[in-house]
């Protein structure tokens, strides 16, 4: 399950490569909500990255994983984030407006 958390600083992912430890800075992928749509509707990220949703719309929304991995509540003007912990493709919707759909592709490399 993914966790929605506030991040005050960068996250670093340690990866072992041929006996060496490589430090890779995690990135943030931004999704904006406006005009009853996620923009961009599809994003690609890596395990350890964070997806941040910003609600710039006139009404409350959610970013809720169809697989049950996360449920981020986004009031008007609010933001929410999820740290991606596993690879795969994850569909999500706004449960208040189910016609609003998005997709997160998460790679492990």
């Amino acid at each position: 399950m993914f966790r929605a958390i506030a991040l005050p600083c960068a996250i670093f992912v340690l990866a072992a490569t041929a006996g060496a430890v490589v430090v890779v800075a995690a990135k943030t992928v931004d999704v904006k909500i406006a005009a009853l749509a996620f923009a961009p509707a599809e994003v690609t990220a890596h395990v350890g990255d964070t997806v941040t949703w910003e609600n710039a719309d006139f009404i409350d929304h959610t970013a809720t994983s169809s697989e049950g991995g996360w449920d981020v509540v986004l009031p008007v003007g609010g933001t929410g984030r999820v740290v991606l912990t596993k690879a795969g493709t994850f569909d999500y919707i706004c449960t208040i407006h189910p016609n609003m759909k998005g997709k997160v592709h998460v790679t492990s490399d």
Side-chain angles (χ1 to χ4, degrees):
M1 178 164 212
F2 296 108
R3 238 174 235 246
I5 60 171
L7 298 176
C9 61
I11 292 177
F12 295 92
V13 177
L14 298 177
T17 306
V21 174
V22 178
V23 177
V24 179
K27 296 181 182 175
T28 299
V29 177
D30 295 317
V31 177
K32 190 170 191 173
I33 302 169
L36 294 169
F38 296 108
E42 255 184 78
V43 297
T44 300
H46 298 282
V47 170
D49 287 353
T50 300
V51 176
T52 299
W53 289 272
E54 175 191 355
N55 184 1
D57 219 338
F58 63 94
I59 193 165
D60 294 347
H61 294 292
T62 72
T64 305
S65 167
S66 300
E67 293 83 17
W70 70 81
D71 184 19
V72 180
V73 177
L74 300 154
V76 173
T79 61
R81 13 186 105 65
V82 169
V83 176
L84 304 169
T85 59
K86 66 179 182 177
T89 297
F90 305 96
D91 294 317
Y92 67 93
I93 64 168
C94 171
T95 56
I96 303 166
H97 311 100
N99 59 316
M100 292 175 57
K101 299 177 183 184
K103 188 176 297 229
V104 179
H105 301 280
V106 184
T107 63
S108 60
D109 56 348

